[in-house]
Amino acid sequence: LNAPFSASATEEVLKTYGRLFNDSPVGWRVTSKDSILNYRSFQMKSVDTITIAIKANHIKPSPLTDLMQAWTMAINGAQQVCDFSASTGLEKIWLFLGHTRQIGDVLDLDFVPNSIRRHLPEFKKHGLDRIRTLAVDWRSGTVNIYWRAPGPLDKKQADGLLAMAGCDPIDEAEVKEIARYSSAKDGSFAFAVTLSLETGDIGRSGFYATKLLREDLPVISDERVRFFLDHAPDYDREELITIAWGFGKGGKKYMKAEVCVVHKVISMFRLLTSPDNNNFTDSLNFQIPPEHAVATPSSEPNFVTGS
């Protein structure tokens, strides 16, 4: 893949989060827009990965850490999952919400900045009422919001969703390809946007198809992504492949591919990504232990402690 790799960054990840990899499914991911190789662990217990990262100097307290911690505390059953780069270490933290949540219960909260909240009317106009997952990217200062959108997807709906990020319309054939692979039994599909926490600008959007079979994958024109799918190690009895179609301003397009490596990820992933699962993480009570409390030097309020 010619992916950049740093032994020291990887050693720091293992030093900080090694125990998570011992008993958690692990996934690999690449995209066609860069040469980075990403990996993540899907731990099956609630872990305050942000405080761990701050204590280990992987990241610094910021409005992004405040926001993610506040969401974690406010949403019962929410679970943080780390995303790493093979060259730089910790890049992103995801927040799986246990099951789909009404948009107002996630975005229309006092601690959510107006840069995000101001998009609520537009999100609702496009039927984006059920949020599945959140994520923050430390290096780009962005927030990802993932929905179960009503479907089946058609061209009018696709063009409207993509227009929120200033993306060009896509042709009918591509819409049908995305709809075929991304639709759940009820027709709903996974859709996401990436926006700047500081400005609220929506820079990218994407559609996701999960739990795909190797013998029935969508058309993948990028040679690097095909090479990844052909060679990425996968030691599970059941294979799990995720494909995403990403879109940006000015006609930019890219694809993502992810495979999982070990530890019976299928059963776990079905729980994490089912459209409405009310039994997975609701019993997990996330708390930041007092001994791990981190004072936030940012100018924004610390939403976790209320200070």
Side-chain angles (χ1 to χ4, degrees):
L1 291 171
N2 293 318
F5 171 74
S6 168
S8 60
T10 304
E11 288 167 358
E12 282 299 314
V13 167
L14 294 174
K15 179 181 176 182
T16 304
Y17 292 106
R19 279 199 275 178
L20 296 185
F21 292 101
N22 289 338
D23 57 3
S24 302
V26 176
W28 300 104
R29 185 179 72 252
V30 298
T31 78
S32 61
K33 65 185 175 73
D34 56 44
S35 60
I36 296 172
L37 175 65
N38 293 106
Y39 58 98
R40 71 177 80 160
S41 65
F42 299 92
Q43 68 271 6
M44 295 295 288
K45 55 189 175 183
S46 185
V47 178
D48 180 9
T49 59
I50 293 177
T51 296
I52 293 171
I54 292 173
K55 290 288 189 181
N57 294 317
H58 290 289
I59 57 175
K60 296 183 182 299
S62 70
L64 275 177
T65 61
D66 291 343
L67 178 61
M68 186 56 92
Q69 293 289 57
W71 267 327
T72 305
M73 295 289 287
I75 301 172
N76 183 39
Q79 183 172 351
Q80 297 175 6
V81 171
C82 292
D83 203 317
F84 307 95
S85 160
S87 60
T88 59
L90 183 65
E91 280 201 344
K92 185 183 292 185
I93 286 183
W94 302 71
L95 192 66
F96 287 97
L97 305 184
H99 58 87
T100 55
R101 309 283 179 155
Q102 290 299 311
I103 189 170
D105 296 335
V106 179
L107 300 187
D108 197 14
L109 300 173
D110 290 343
F111 57 78
V112 179
N114 188 58
S115 59
I116 297 175
R117 295 175 74 181
R118 66 182 173 85
H119 291 290
L120 272 166
E122 187 174 21
F123 292 155
K124 291 179 179 179
K125 181 183 76 174
H126 290 285
L128 300 176
D129 297 320
R130 296 189 298 156
I131 294 179
R132 192 64 185 84
T133 310
L134 301 163
V136 295
D137 189 311
W138 310 115
R139 302 185 188 283
S140 63
T142 55
V143 176
N144 290 7
I145 306 170
Y146 299 80
W147 287 271
R148 291 303 307 182
L153 179 70
D154 59 27
K155 177 149 175 37
K156 180 180 178 181
Q157 183 184 24
D159 290 348
L161 292 171
L162 293 175
M164 290 193 297
C167 304
D168 294 344
I170 56 177
D171 61 42
E172 184 76 35
E174 189 166 13
V175 173
K176 288 182 177 179
E177 175 92 341
I178 293 171
R180 178 192 166 198
Y181 287 97
S182 65
S183 295
K185 290 181 179 179
D186 63 357
S188 67
F189 57 92
F191 173 76
V193 299
T194 300
L195 53 83
S196 165
L197 180 63
E198 182 178 0
T199 67
D201 178 60
I202 301 177
R204 295 191 302 275
S205 57
F207 302 91
Y208 291 76
T210 61
K211 295 172 280 188
L212 299 181
L213 301 177
R214 183 173 296 277
E215 57 269 23
D216 185 22
L217 293 176
V219 175
I220 299 172
S221 58
D222 185 80
E223 183 178 349
R224 184 170 179 272
V225 173
R226 291 201 308 268
F227 183 91
F228 167 76
L229 289 171
D230 287 341
H231 294 87
D234 187 335
Y235 306 117
D236 258 323
R237 290 183 180 179
E238 294 184 85
E239 197 167 41
L240 173 65
I241 297 175
T242 296
I243 299 293
W245 297 261
F247 301 88
K249 292 178 172 61
K252 293 179 180 178
K253 295 183 180 182
Y254 60 95
M255 294 192 79
K256 300 179 186 179
E258 179 172 350
V259 299
C260 285
V261 187
V262 289
H263 284 236
K264 299 180 180 178
V265 72
I266 284 286
S267 57
M268 179 282 308
F269 200 75
R270 283 177 181 145
L271 290 170
L272 281 177
T273 61
S274 60
D276 281 292
N277 168 43
N278 296 301
N279 301 314
F280 177 52
T281 55
D282 285 348
S283 62
L284 297 174
N285 295 314
F286 177 92
Q287 294 183 344
I288 299 177
E291 64 269 21
H292 293 307
V294 177
T296 302
S298 67
S299 58
E300 297 292 324
N302 185 328
F303 299 116
V304 174
T305 64
S307 60

